Amino acid sequence: MKPFLLSTIFGFNNRQQIKKMKTQKLFLAVFTIALLFTSCDKNTVDPNVDDRDQYIGSWTCFEKGTFSGQSTYVVNISKVGDLDSISIKNFYQLSNAFSAIALVSSNSVTIPQQTISGIKVNGFGIFSSNKINLTYYCIDGSDKDTVQAVLSK
């Protein structure tokens, strides 16, 4: 297209403005293509990695409850089920005869509502810096004990 025709249609009055417009279009095209390629996220899940592995073992539990006070004891965590479940033996210091079942997803822990030795429990937590920080609630029928616990190896 001739510069005169472009200047007539788009109101440009010299070649410098036309060149600037072409450069801007080229830059915009390159930027758009680069953005498309960098915005693609490859969510690959390694089937050989089990999120539960970091939780397994013997842990020292430092716990503080609104009713139960402070205590320190040992819990043992093991895998249970096929995918995302773990068993926490001696949960809430109820003895190794009792376990809480928790669900893990990456670094998150969820303790769904369940009854252990007559006590309703539920809670949540996070795995960080080789520690498990938990907040859980224990109801023995009349009182609700809100518990903050840190499990460390």
Side-chain angles (χ1 to χ4, degrees):
M1 198 174 258
K2 299 201 183 251
F4 175 75
L5 186 56
L6 282 175
S7 66
T8 305
I9 294 172
F10 296 108
F12 297 117
N13 56 10
N14 64 35
R15 290 185 180 184
Q16 211 171 21
Q17 286 179 324
I18 294 170
K19 187 175 180 180
K20 183 178 178 182
M21 187 174 121
K22 286 182 182 180
T23 303
Q24 288 174 343
K25 282 184 180 181
L26 179 64
F27 175 76
L28 182 61
V30 170
F31 178 76
T32 302
I33 291 170
L35 184 63
L36 288 173
F37 282 111
T38 58
S39 66
C40 296
D41 184 19
K42 295 179 183 178
N43 276 338
T44 56
V45 176
D46 186 350
N48 299 319
V49 174
D50 189 336
D51 287 344
R52 301 175 294 177
D53 288 341
Q54 62 191 357
Y55 297 92
I56 305 309
S58 183
W59 297 81
T60 301
C61 177
F62 303 95
E63 139 183 309
K64 183 177 181 182
T66 54
F67 287 105
S68 59
Q70 291 183 342
S71 59
T72 302
Y73 56 93
V74 175
V75 298
N76 291 294
I77 300 178
S78 59
K79 293 179 187 179
V80 63
D82 292 332
L83 301 172
D84 60 356
S85 300
I86 57 173
S87 170
I88 308 171
K89 285 192 175 200
N90 198 26
F91 181 81
Y92 196 54
Q93 205 169 3
L94 294 173
S95 91
N96 282 320
F98 299 101
S99 297
I101 302 299
L103 307 173
V104 299
S105 177
S106 185
N107 292 335
S108 296
V109 181
T110 302
I111 303 167
Q113 186 166 324
Q114 55 200 286
T115 301
I116 306 168
S117 185
I119 298 173
K120 289 182 181 179
V121 301
N122 71 308
F124 58 91
I126 191 143
F127 180 93
S128 177
S129 301
N130 291 321
K131 292 183 180 181
I132 305 170
N133 294 293
L134 295 172
T135 299
Y136 47 92
Y137 310 95
C138 302
I139 303 170
D140 67 359
S142 59
D143 294 321
K144 180 178 182 179
D145 196 9
T146 301
V147 181
Q148 300 290 321
V150 177
L151 282 63
S152 60
K153 284 192 173 184

